[in-house]
Amino acid sequence: HTSTHTVSQTQPHLEAGVAREFRPQLQTMSETPITGKVLVLYHSGTGHTAQMAKHVAEGVERYDGALMELRVRTVEEATAEDIFWCDGIACGTPTHLGGYSFEMKRFWDQNSDKIWSKTDGKIACAFSSSGGYGGGTETACLSMLIVLMNFGFLTFGVTDYVATKFTAHYGAITARAPRDEQEKDSCRRLGHRLCEWIAVYVLGRKDLHPLLTTKANEHQAEEAKQKKRAARKENFEKSRKEQQQEDSS
């Protein structure tokens, strides 16, 4: 069930037996997939991270740039097959002492022998909830990303802002449950950005690069403003002429 973008050539550092295991798969990698596959994987002790996972999934569901399939799994439900299935993954964990949770670590530890060297090139991001701001959510995200990097995932942060002074540079973060709209939007933006990178790097849709779509959206917004200005001016001129006609009559 490995996704079609797992590797592009036999990795030279692998043992001969493992390298041969990949060759039959490589011969069939001729077609670019048309549907991306997103996995939202999380552990939640209090339900706060589960609420974040819900909003990350909403960001995936609302993405309309390319077709995306979605799976949402807890670490208790997920298996190695879910990791093989996905093109991109969003990992959510409560912040435990500034890092990710034991339950999340156990999932990767227990499946490491099954998935090691078979997930290279998949795309990944992180999100985390702590007891309060300053409680280590960003370091928890970073510790989660380091684990994913060890498995060959290509990790990313989000540079744009969802509200004034509110972003997700290292991943989406909240203090307890995401209650404010900006906290929910941060989770949604993370899921949306994951879809964008899958579209660009897995589906080959370079036209859907976020920088290009942002410029296109800005251009459309400017065009809409200009049309509104023109309509207001036209209405003003129309009203002025009507008033002049009334005054002259």
Side-chain angles (χ1 to χ4, degrees):
H1 298 288
T2 50
S3 56
T4 56
H5 70 292
T6 304
V7 287
S8 59
Q9 60 183 9
T10 303
Q11 301 180 41
H13 65 279
L14 297 177
E15 295 178 1
V18 179
R20 282 197 296 272
E21 179 183 335
F22 282 93
R23 288 189 182 116
Q25 299 176 20
L26 293 170
Q27 293 172 0
T28 64
M29 294 181 186
S30 58
E31 296 183 1
T32 301
I34 60 173
T35 303
K37 299 174 182 178
V38 180
L39 172 64
V40 178
L41 176 69
Y42 71 94
H43 164 243
S44 186
T46 61
H48 298 160
T49 310
Q51 291 184 47
M52 294 184 75
K54 173 188 173 184
H55 295 305
V56 172
E58 287 175 353
V60 175
E61 292 170 339
R62 296 180 184 182
Y63 179 70
D64 59 0
L67 294 175
M68 293 289 162
E69 294 182 47
L70 171 66
R71 286 185 186 179
V72 179
R73 299 283 191 270
T74 66
V75 290
E76 292 82 11
E77 299 167 332
T79 66
E81 190 276 331
D82 291 304
I83 305 299
F84 294 140
W85 171 84
C86 74
D87 297 311
I89 183 172
C91 282
T93 176
T95 300
H96 286 185
L97 300 174
Y100 60 102
S101 68
F102 161 76
E103 289 82 356
M104 178 60 76
K105 184 178 190 302
R106 180 174 59 192
F107 172 83
W108 293 100
D109 284 350
Q110 290 180 342
N111 287 285
S112 61
D113 289 344
K114 301 174 186 176
I115 65 177
W116 188 263
S117 79
K118 299 177 184 178
T119 55
D120 296 75
K122 294 177 184 286
I123 302 170
C125 57
F127 58 97
S128 183
S129 172
S130 65
Y133 285 112
T137 45
E138 290 186 331
T139 56
C141 285
L142 288 172
S143 66
M144 188 72 255
L145 294 177
I146 289 172
V147 171
L148 294 164
M149 290 167 67
N150 269 268
F151 283 96
F153 285 85
L154 308 179
T155 62
F156 70 91
V158 179
T159 57
D160 44 323
Y161 288 72
V162 297
T164 303
K165 297 182 180 180
F166 204 94
T167 187
H169 289 335
Y170 308 101
I173 62 170
T174 63
R176 300 184 183 274
R179 295 184 177 87
D180 297 336
E181 199 59 30
Q182 63 186 13
E183 294 173 333
K184 297 176 183 178
D185 282 343
S186 178
C187 297
R188 294 175 186 133
R189 183 67 60 86
L190 189 72
H192 188 275
R193 184 55 50 83
L194 177 57
C195 291
E196 289 179 314
W197 291 136
I198 291 173
V200 173
Y201 292 113
V202 179
L203 305 183
R205 293 291 305 277
K206 293 184 178 180
D207 58 305
L208 296 177
H209 193 290
L211 292 182
L212 296 178
T213 54
T214 298
K215 289 180 180 179
N217 291 336
E218 289 174 350
H219 180 69
Q220 290 176 356
E222 184 59 32
E223 282 187 337
K225 287 181 181 179
Q226 291 177 1
K227 288 180 180 179
K228 286 182 179 180
R229 292 193 199 103
R232 285 197 299 265
K233 184 177 180 181
E234 183 179 347
N235 290 334
F236 174 78
E237 291 295 331
K238 182 179 180 181
S239 298
R240 187 173 64 84
K241 289 179 180 180
E242 290 176 349
Q243 186 64 46
Q244 287 175 345
Q245 290 174 354
E246 290 179 5
D247 292 343
S248 62
S249 62

